[in-house]
Amino acid sequence: MNQHNILVIGAGGQIGTVLVEKLRTIYGSSAVFATDLKENPDKHIQILDVMDREGLEKFIDKNKIREIYHLAAILSARGEQNPKWAWDINMGGLFNVLESAVKYKVEKVFYPSTIAVFGKHIPLENTPNHVPLTPATVYGISKVAGELWAEYYFNKHGLDVRSVRYPGVIGYQSLAGGGTTDYAVDIFHAEAKNEVFECFLAQNTKLPMIYMDDCIQATIDIMRAPTENIKCRTSYNLAGMSFSPVEIASEIQKRNPNFKIVYQPDFRQAIAASWPQSIDDSEARKDWGWKPKYDLADLVDIMMTEVRKLYTTNPNS
Ligand code: SER
């Protein structure tokens, strides 16, 4: 059996869907075990509930897992609907992963953090890596705690946990689910369907975002970097681009002058307003060579082309 088997938890989600494909091309299909709450035989996703500690341990042991990507979490907007539930899943899932990883001598764990860890009393432009973290959402609170636990397990148990703070992630291969940045994915689906897009954020709400390929590249790069290069053991800031709803809408309108957007800010506006507008990711650049490739124009070109294809191939989707 391959001695470097990889487990992806949350493989059916927005990022997991794309990450699994990339990992399979790098390490070979038989080395990558994709799992989620729901199975998907077409994508070779098996059932595994990260809250089931015994099941998780058995899976790791049986499949000789050496690396884990723990992507399962309740994001910012959905978490606010049921904070205690979101806390239990985000923290319970992480503890199960960390404890099982130590017990079965897993070599590396990837734990995504987020721009939602930021809150008051910090510069919202070019937000530095190391600032007071005072998030306003249960998602942000759980990820701050998670970052600290990641560092704790590294220091106390030598567990090689690596983490980046994802901005809003935008890709065509999967839908976003339960986040405050989801509008920047949904907008392309409205455009492809010739619908007027109702944006749940106000027009000038600028947020850090990243194109999916850059997000996946950062994830692979930090996991492949030599251990000694990972100097930050909480989480690295990661930047791709920054834009507001009106800016992305006008990029779309350059390519489709008929595209229309209206603004109906809801509870997610307050969450977005508490987050940085842009991120200083110089530590990631310095320590493990991070450099994004895609800007807003690239992103809009690719997203419009690819999302339209989804609706041409399958008009009922
Ligand atoms: N995309 C996430 C959210 O909006 C941020 O990490 O919740």
Side-chain angles (χ1 to χ4, degrees):
M1 181 179 272
N2 190 315
Q3 287 306 293
H4 200 90
N5 287 342
I6 294 171
L7 167 62
V8 180
I9 300 167
Q14 187 200 9
I15 297 167
T17 303
V18 190
L19 181 66
V20 163
E21 273 192 33
K22 183 73 176 185
L23 290 171
R24 283 179 173 153
T25 61
I26 298 173
Y27 298 101
S29 295
S30 61
V32 180
F33 293 77
T35 66
D36 210 308
L37 285 177
K38 267 197 272 173
E39 71 176 338
N40 183 337
D42 291 347
K43 295 195 167 160
H44 303 284
I45 297 179
Q46 311 178 44
I47 292 191
L48 182 64
D49 181 356
V50 73
M51 299 303 282
D52 168 14
R53 171 79 171 272
E54 207 187 314
L56 176 64
E57 290 197 359
K58 275 194 188 141
F59 196 100
I60 293 172
D61 190 26
K62 175 169 163 241
N63 298 301
K64 305 213 172 346
I65 299 297
R66 289 289 158 264
E67 216 170 279
I68 299 177
Y69 293 75
H70 172 41
L71 303 180
I74 308 300
L75 300 195
S76 60
R78 196 156 169 230
E80 292 312 287
Q81 310 300 318
N82 195 340
K84 175 66 170 58
W85 169 75
W87 174 260
D88 287 346
I89 292 187
N90 290 358
M91 296 319 297
L94 176 63
F95 273 111
N96 284 347
V97 168
L98 294 174
E99 283 292 307
S100 315
V102 170
K103 184 164 170 189
Y104 289 94
K105 300 191 170 36
V106 169
E107 284 158 22
K108 276 187 240 176
V109 174
F110 178 76
Y111 173 64
S113 187
T114 163
I115 52 168
V117 294
F118 297 111
K120 288 186 188 133
H121 316 300
I122 55 164
L124 293 181
E125 283 284 1
N126 272 323
T127 306
N129 217 113
H130 301 287
V131 290
L133 301 175
T134 59
T137 61
V138 64
Y139 174 57
I141 296 170
S142 72
K143 288 290 182 178
V144 172
E147 287 187 6
L148 294 170
W149 280 115
E151 187 172 49
Y152 182 95
Y153 271 74
F154 176 72
N155 289 333
K156 298 276 169 176
H157 300 287
L159 181 62
D160 190 351
V161 191
R162 303 176 180 202
S163 176
V164 293
R165 293 174 179 151
Y166 287 142
V169 179
I170 302 161
Y172 59 86
Q173 299 93 331
S174 46
L175 287 172
T180 301
T181 56
D182 294 10
Y183 90 87
V185 176
D186 300 344
I187 194 169
F188 291 102
H189 291 264
E191 191 280 334
K193 290 190 273 187
N194 288 316
E195 288 172 359
V196 175
F197 181 61
E198 260 188 38
C199 185
F200 59 71
L201 295 186
Q203 60 177 358
N204 293 319
T205 314
K206 186 170 141 195
L207 289 172
M209 301 278 187
I210 193 166
Y211 177 56
M212 181 66 84
D213 281 21
D214 274 341
C215 164
I216 300 297
Q217 196 59 52
T219 308
I220 305 275
D221 285 353
I222 191 174
M223 287 297 272
R224 298 191 96 177
T227 308
E228 62 275 15
N229 288 25
I230 309 299
K231 302 208 164 52
C232 170
R233 286 292 174 174
T234 50
S235 192
Y236 281 95
N237 278 7
L238 189 74
M241 61 189 88
S242 281
F243 58 79
S244 62
V246 75
E247 285 166 339
I248 191 170
S250 78
E251 278 298 320
I252 293 174
Q253 281 155 347
K254 280 187 203 163
R255 294 154 180 82
N256 172 6
N258 295 323
F259 176 69
K260 287 199 176 50
I261 181 167
V262 293
Y263 300 93
Q264 311 270 4
D266 65 15
F267 73 99
R268 288 169 280 195
Q269 178 60 30
I271 298 176
S274 74
W275 290 353
Q277 295 169 12
S278 61
I279 295 289
D280 173 357
D281 62 359
S282 49
E283 291 203 20
R285 289 174 185 253
K286 178 166 58 73
D287 290 357
W288 44 275
W290 165 242
K291 195 166 186 275
K293 291 201 184 79
Y294 298 87
D295 65 13
L296 177 59
D298 301 328
L299 173 122
V300 173
D301 280 338
I302 300 169
M303 288 296 289
M304 282 180 72
T305 310
E306 297 300 329
V307 175
R308 282 177 181 189
K309 276 188 207 161
L310 298 176
Y311 293 94
T312 332
T313 342
N314 181 4
N316 298 321
S317 63

